[in-house]
Amino acid sequence: MPISSRLVSRRTTLAAVPLLLAAGCRWGPADESSTTPEPDAPKAIPDSEQVEAAVAAIAEVQDFVEAASAKHIGLSEPLAELTSLHTAHLALLDPDRAAGTTDVAVPGTSGAALAAVRRREATLQSTLSGLAADVSSGPLARTLAAVAAGVAQHRQLLPTVKVSAP
Amino acid sequence: MSDTSALQTALAAEHAAVWLYATLGGQTSQSSQAKLFEVVSSGYTAHRGRRDQLVRWIRDAGESPVPSEVGYELPNRLRTPGEVKAAGLQIEQRCAATYSDLVARTVDDERTWAINALIDTGLRELEFGGTPQDLPGIDT
């Protein structure tokens, strides 16, 4: 599977981490690991690789959902909230991320495309949960866990469509 | 190392959830509200299991688990299925916020468990008529 061309640069991802940590502090109790790193030492920022991985995973699924919506008009409405969700999560995790487009192969029937969306969302939920477990910052873990929970909720409400024969 | 006080807070929330779910079950007809009864029964079982797990962890850490209160204040009246659903939704939203905090204050297996609990409570919110959120446990 091709990596999304919208994968953010390391510079922008690193820039987002202090923002997330600050947001995490605002949402909950203080955490020792949530101190703001020095701005002139970005490589010392903890958890930047996990944030970068989360953004890449969300962007890749977002690309697929948008491509599925574009190819199968009947899916555009059922997938609209999912698209909005991913957009909101990407804005949270990487506010400076540049938008782009990617060529994504989508199944020829809407049923198969929807089934593929379900699978990718399930994988994304699992990936985000794993990243939340892996980060050193508690507030960041909470944010990533909430992102995973949001994906789970929206996936649960996707319509069930009988997959057409190939 | 996980924050034991966070585990105690989560346990207190689960004590309340188990008590409230038992009350919801008593107000829900298995025959005439089969779907709702199933949702309430499933929630009761899940919360009781989480309560017991939290008790084990706290004891393993050498502390005494916080006890359950004698009773809890109902979120609202429970005269209709709609009111039972509203109460169930509120219970799950409170638990989601609790587990969101627990994720931030735990590590390793306990954090993974808290993440799964947060996801589960988010899904149970939907069963009680809740709407999906961008950040369950934080948005609530």
Side-chain angles (χ1 to χ4, degrees):
Chain A
M1 187 178 296
I3 299 295
S4 169
S5 64
R6 300 195 304 187
L7 211 163
V8 294
S9 72
R10 185 168 182 78
R11 181 183 57 78
T12 55
T13 303
L14 289 172
V17 173
L19 181 73
L20 281 168
L21 295 178
C25 289
R26 189 187 70 235
W27 287 325
D31 185 281
E32 288 181 0
S33 60
S34 63
T35 52
T36 305
E38 293 179 20
D40 59 345
K43 287 182 181 175
I45 296 173
D47 301 327
S48 58
E49 288 184 9
Q50 287 90 341
V51 173
E52 194 170 346
V55 169
I58 296 168
E60 189 173 316
V61 174
Q62 173 80 314
D63 284 344
F64 187 83
V65 172
E66 288 181 349
S69 297
K71 183 167 183 172
H72 303 286
I73 300 304
L75 291 181
S76 60
E77 188 177 333
L79 296 180
E81 285 204 19
L82 205 48
T83 302
S84 298
L85 176 78
H86 293 320
T87 301
H89 287 166
L90 288 169
L92 174 69
L93 293 169
D94 185 8
D96 298 329
R97 184 174 147 276
T101 56
T102 309
D103 290 330
V104 179
V106 175
T109 68
S110 59
L114 188 56
V117 168
R118 282 183 176 282
R119 286 194 301 273
R120 286 165 190 257
E121 296 291 344
T123 301
L124 176 61
Q125 179 191 322
S126 176
T127 299
L128 292 166
S129 296
L131 292 168
D134 194 39
V135 295
S136 59
S137 160
L140 179 58
R142 174 169 43 196
T143 300
L144 291 173
V147 170
V151 170
Q153 280 190 332
H154 284 75
R155 184 168 67 91
Q156 183 77 4
L157 293 182
L158 282 173
T160 303
V161 176
K162 187 178 178 182
V163 178
S164 305
Chain B
M1 191 173 192
S2 296
D3 181 347
T4 314
S5 68
L7 297 175
Q8 296 277 26
T9 300
L11 175 58
E14 286 296 4
H15 279 318
V18 168
W19 189 93
L20 291 165
Y21 259 101
T23 306
L24 298 189
Q27 299 295 319
T28 308
S29 166
Q30 187 171 8
S31 56
S32 64
Q33 300 151 15
K35 174 61 181 167
L36 181 57
F37 186 84
E38 182 185 324
V39 170
V40 170
S41 297
S42 168
Y44 176 74
T45 302
H47 284 282
R48 204 173 53 176
R50 286 207 285 266
R51 177 200 63 188
D52 294 346
Q53 179 62 61
L54 288 161
V55 166
R56 279 193 292 274
W57 273 332
I58 291 166
R59 285 195 176 133
D60 287 349
E63 292 192 17
S64 298
V66 292
S68 174
E69 301 289 338
V70 175
Y72 294 87
E73 187 176 348
L74 293 170
N76 52 271
R77 291 180 297 189
L78 302 175
R79 295 176 306 182
T80 66
E83 288 173 350
V84 169
K85 289 175 75 173
L89 175 59
Q90 198 168 131
I91 293 167
E92 293 300 340
Q93 287 173 335
R94 289 176 181 172
C95 284
T98 299
Y99 281 114
S100 178
D101 282 342
L102 190 63
V103 168
R105 297 166 65 185
T106 49
V107 294
D108 301 330
D109 289 347
E110 290 161 2
R111 181 188 286 176
T112 298
W113 182 85
I115 292 166
N116 290 330
L118 172 61
I119 290 171
D120 182 73
T121 55
L123 294 177
R124 288 184 195 281
E125 285 179 27
L126 302 180
E127 293 182 326
F128 284 116
T131 54
Q133 298 160 301
D134 288 353
L135 299 169
I138 291 176
D139 286 343
T140 49

